[in-house]
Amino acid sequence: MSTFDIERGLAGSPSSAQSCEGSETHSSSLHEDEDEAIEEMLTPALSRQHSMGLARRVTTTGTNGTSDPRFEVDWDGDSDVENPLNWSVWYKAYVIFTLSFSTLVVVYYSTSYTAGISQMMKEFGIESEPVATLGVTTYLIGLAVGTIIVAPLSEMVGRWLVFLVSMVIFLVLVIPAGLGNSLTQVIVVRFFGAVFGAALVSNSPGAIGDISRLERRAMVFSIWSLGPMQGPVVGPVIGGFLTQYLNWRWANWVVMMLAGVSLIFLFMMKETYAPTLLRRKAERLRSETGDSRYWSRYDSKKSLRQILSTNLSRPFVMAFTEPICIFWNIYISIVYGILYLCFVAYPIVFGQMRGWSISFTGLSFLGIGVGQLIAIGSEPLFRRLILAHKHEPGSNKPPLEAMMSVVVIGAVASPIGQIWFAWTSTPPTHWIWPILAGIPFGFGNILIFIYAVNYLISAYGIYGASASAGNTVFRSLLGATLPLAGPALYGTLGAHWAASLCGFLGLAIIPIPVLFYLYGDRYRNRSALIRELRIEQERLEGKRGGTKSVAVAATATAEEESEDIEKGIDAGIGLPTNDKHLEDDLNVDPSSDTQDKDKDINI
């Protein structure tokens, strides 16, 4: 059967057209399912390849305002270079480095502040250490607020523009913080800087998911996480030396320089968000061809207000209605809060109890950093552990819950490190032991963050950024409040029991990743949102599969047949020579409610 024979079948034969006039309801009900199936199979191969030929010479099947499936814009096969999943390895590496470095700058700024607390207290006449610590607290609250307001915009306008604009504003707001004449001014400006820096922290995992396939995603996340996980550790180290040998203001100037470098890298990065790219592709095809029927499944007819309302509320809706988000928000928030409590606890233990200088106190965080690096370097081993799990039925891949096996390892290692630190933190125990305790703590933390966030993003697909944003809000809030309790906690309970309390809390929440490892597939199956995404994915895969099986033969002689059609010849059957009649067929408004459902070319 030729390409035109198939298209002619869609439009209907002369007899069927006449029958339609007499009994439209009977004919449409008889052929509706079959026609739609054929249309879906032909859509990508035929409509795109012959956008100026065949597709513009065969009228659409009207749908009373619905979009014609033959003109739905999708990726042009598995090797479409516009699809971020098909970018070159080198360019993907550039994107990963850019996002990792940019996130490092934002989170580095959150903890580099702690090294200058003592100097700021003297300069601004602050006597209360918890008041001075508010600089960390308000920064993390700013990250939470920004995650709510700024970060969700990426699902409307794309990730790249949000990244770029947010980093520009973040950089500008560092300047008044460095020039601040009061602690209040510094704290307020840092808060607003964090609001915009949040876009990098919460949206980068989504962008990493955009460019990485599931089987390699954990490895890509491990590489990217070097920035966001090492940033809080590097902050006190570099900040300590800057504060001791220059002053606390230089911690801000270094951040400004790093943000400038990040801005250059981001400017040269391309958009990664598939819905935005497909919307742009549909707009380009409409512009190039003059055919308004091209559309994307991500096109929205909602008003800007409706879009904003949906995207700004989605992280909260998911956070409170999706069981997977609820449990992981609780778990990761506790782990994150304990991590940020360390940035108050370490200066107390090493600075006050052991009498170390500001710069050497910063070096005490290196144990945590080493543990994180070990975890990242062990990714190939963890990948083997994941792939060793039994594959899902009908798939050659292990279930998402296989990642939980790695999270469980981290969930055990992290509290062990905390309890180890608790009972070796004070003299006369040698200083090396509490620093070494940071290795299992950092090792466990990074395993939890990498694989738990990867699980969230993989489970929720295109809404992974919203799931990650909700998680960022909750962990930032807890990370903001626990450091405030640090001085009082260590002053009341002492270093041994204060740190032990954190370790015991970590042990108490181990059942969460264990339950997801055992029953996570059941939780996913009960999620209405995930079921919705699965149905859409199956529809797209079925459509693409149909295209390969049917349209390959149709496109084998497409070029030759397209020329025949344009001449009005197809297997000896003449096309109408009445140009006005043909023009009337081509100028049907696809959005008109009065469009004839079976309007066809007269043969």
Side-chain angles (χ1 to χ4, degrees), residues 555-574:
T555 56
T557 58
E559 230 176 317
E560 180 181 347
E561 290 187 358
S562 180
E563 292 174 2
D564 291 342
I565 293 168
E566 291 182 5
K567 293 175 183 178
I569 302 171
D570 181 47
I573 301 175

Side-chain angles (χ1 to χ4, degrees), residues 467-591:
S468 176
N471 184 265
T472 301
V473 169
F474 284 94
R475 75 174 187 239
S476 295
L477 289 175
L478 197 58
T481 53
L482 277 185
L484 287 176
L489 184 67
Y490 273 75
T492 303
L493 300 180
H496 297 317
W497 286 107
S500 294
L501 182 62
C502 295
F504 296 151
L505 182 59
L507 290 174
I509 58 176
I510 288 178
I512 292 178
V514 172
L515 287 173
F516 270 88
Y517 177 63
L518 297 174
Y519 309 112
D521 58 333
R522 299 183 187 179
Y523 302 146
R524 286 191 290 124
N525 291 334
R526 292 175 183 174
S527 167
L529 182 57
I530 292 178
R531 286 200 304 269
E532 209 173 286
L533 290 171
R534 281 178 179 172
I535 292 171
E536 174 67 10
Q537 183 64 29
E538 289 169 2
R539 184 187 75 83
L540 292 175
E541 289 177 354
K543 174 180 172 180
R544 290 165 184 162
T547 298
K548 290 180 181 179
S549 61
V550 176
V552 167
T555 56
T557 58
E559 230 176 317
E560 180 181 347
E561 290 187 358
S562 180
E563 292 174 2
D564 291 342
I565 293 168
E566 291 182 5
K567 293 175 183 178
I569 302 171
D570 181 47
I573 301 175
L575 283 171
T577 57
N578 186 341
D579 293 339
K580 181 66 176 66
H581 189 182
L582 182 60
E583 181 180 347
D584 290 341
D585 282 337
L586 294 175
N587 289 334
V588 175
D589 181 3
S591 64

Side-chain angles (χ1 to χ4, degrees), residues 343-398:
F343 297 112
V344 175
Y346 273 50
I348 292 174
V349 168
F350 291 98
Q352 297 178 15
M353 296 182 177
R354 291 184 179 269
W356 288 17
S357 65
I358 296 175
S359 57
F360 275 89
T361 297
L363 291 175
S364 64
F365 291 96
L366 289 179
I368 297 176
V370 170
Q372 294 176 348
L373 291 175
I374 292 173
I376 293 171
S378 303
E379 189 278 333
L381 297 177
F382 296 129
R383 194 192 322 155
R384 290 183 184 179
L385 173 63
I386 292 171
L387 294 176
H389 285 73
K390 184 179 179 180
H391 292 175
E392 287 186 307
S395 171
N396 61 348
K397 299 175 183 177

Side-chain angles (χ1 to χ4, degrees), residues 2 31 98 115 147 361 399 449 519-520 525 552:
S2 69
H31 298 291
T98 298
T147 300
T361 297
F449 289 127
Y519 309 112
N525 291 334
V552 167

Side-chain angles (χ1 to χ4, degrees), residues 136-188:
V136 177
T137 299
T138 54
Y139 191 89
L140 292 174
I141 293 175
L143 290 179
V145 173
T147 300
I148 300 168
I149 298 174
V150 180
L153 296 176
S154 70
E155 294 180 15
M156 292 185 294
V157 300
R159 307 201 199 281
W160 178 80
L161 184 61
V162 173
F163 285 152
L164 194 68
V165 173
S166 297
M167 183 54 75
V168 169
I169 300 174
F170 175 84
L171 186 155
V172 171
L173 289 173
V174 173
I175 298 173
L179 297 174
N181 295 318
S182 68
L183 183 64
T184 301
Q185 181 181 340
V186 173
I187 290 174
V188 170

Side-chain angles (χ1 to χ4, degrees), residues 92-325:
K92 286 184 179 180
Y94 173 80
V95 173
I96 295 167
F97 169 78
T98 298
L99 295 176
S100 181
F101 178 77
S102 300
T103 311
L104 180 146
V105 174
V106 175
V107 296
Y108 163 86
Y109 195 34
S110 69
T111 58
S112 62
Y113 171 91
T114 60
I117 286 178
S118 58
Q119 279 193 7
M120 284 187 284
M121 290 177 66
K122 292 178 182 178
E123 183 173 336
F124 299 135
I126 306 297
E127 297 181 359
S128 172
E129 188 173 352
V131 171
T133 307
L134 283 172
V136 177
T137 299
T138 54
Y139 191 89
L140 292 174
I141 293 175
L143 290 179
V145 173
T147 300
I148 300 168
I149 298 174
V150 180
L153 296 176
S154 70
E155 294 180 15
M156 292 185 294
V157 300
R159 307 201 199 281
W160 178 80
L161 184 61
V162 173
F163 285 152
L164 194 68
V165 173
S166 297
M167 183 54 75
V168 169
I169 300 174
F170 175 84
L171 186 155
V172 171
L173 289 173
V174 173
I175 298 173
L179 297 174
N181 295 318
S182 68
L183 183 64
T184 301
Q185 181 181 340
V186 173
I187 290 174
V188 170
V189 173
R190 276 174 55 86
F191 168 80
F192 286 106
V195 168
F196 291 95
L200 281 303
V201 177
S202 60
N203 284 349
S204 287
I208 295 300
D210 293 339
I211 65 171
S212 58
R213 299 187 186 276
L214 183 59
E215 59 271 18
R216 295 285 180 181
R217 192 167 291 162
M219 179 191 69
V220 176
F221 265 100
S222 297
I223 298 171
W224 166 79
S225 66
L226 278 170
M229 297 307 298
Q230 290 290 310
V233 176
V234 173
V237 176
I238 297 178
F241 281 94
L242 289 172
T243 300
Q244 182 169 336
Y245 294 104
L246 295 170
N247 59 53
W248 66 270
R249 297 181 189 274
W250 268 96
N252 295 279
W253 305 142
V254 168
V255 170
M256 186 182 70
M257 296 175 196
L258 294 174
V261 174
S262 166
L263 192 58
I264 295 172
F265 290 146
L266 287 169
F267 183 78
M268 295 186 291
M269 196 181 88
K270 294 188 293 186
E271 178 58 62
T272 67
Y273 192 45
T276 298
L277 293 172
L278 288 174
R279 283 194 296 264
R280 291 176 183 174
K281 186 175 182 179
E283 290 173 3
R284 186 177 72 245
L285 287 172
R286 289 194 293 267
S287 176
E288 291 175 353
T289 65
D291 193 334
S292 61
R293 291 173 293 183
Y294 285 103
W295 62 283
S296 161
R297 62 185 175 275
Y298 300 110
D299 291 343
S300 177
K301 297 180 181 179
K302 296 180 179 179
S303 66
L304 179 61
R305 182 176 179 179
Q306 290 174 313
I307 294 172
L308 281 170
S309 176
T310 300
N311 283 277
L312 295 179
S313 63
R314 185 183 293 131
F316 285 103
V317 173
M318 293 177 66
F320 288 103
T321 62
E322 289 291 313
I324 295 173
C325 292

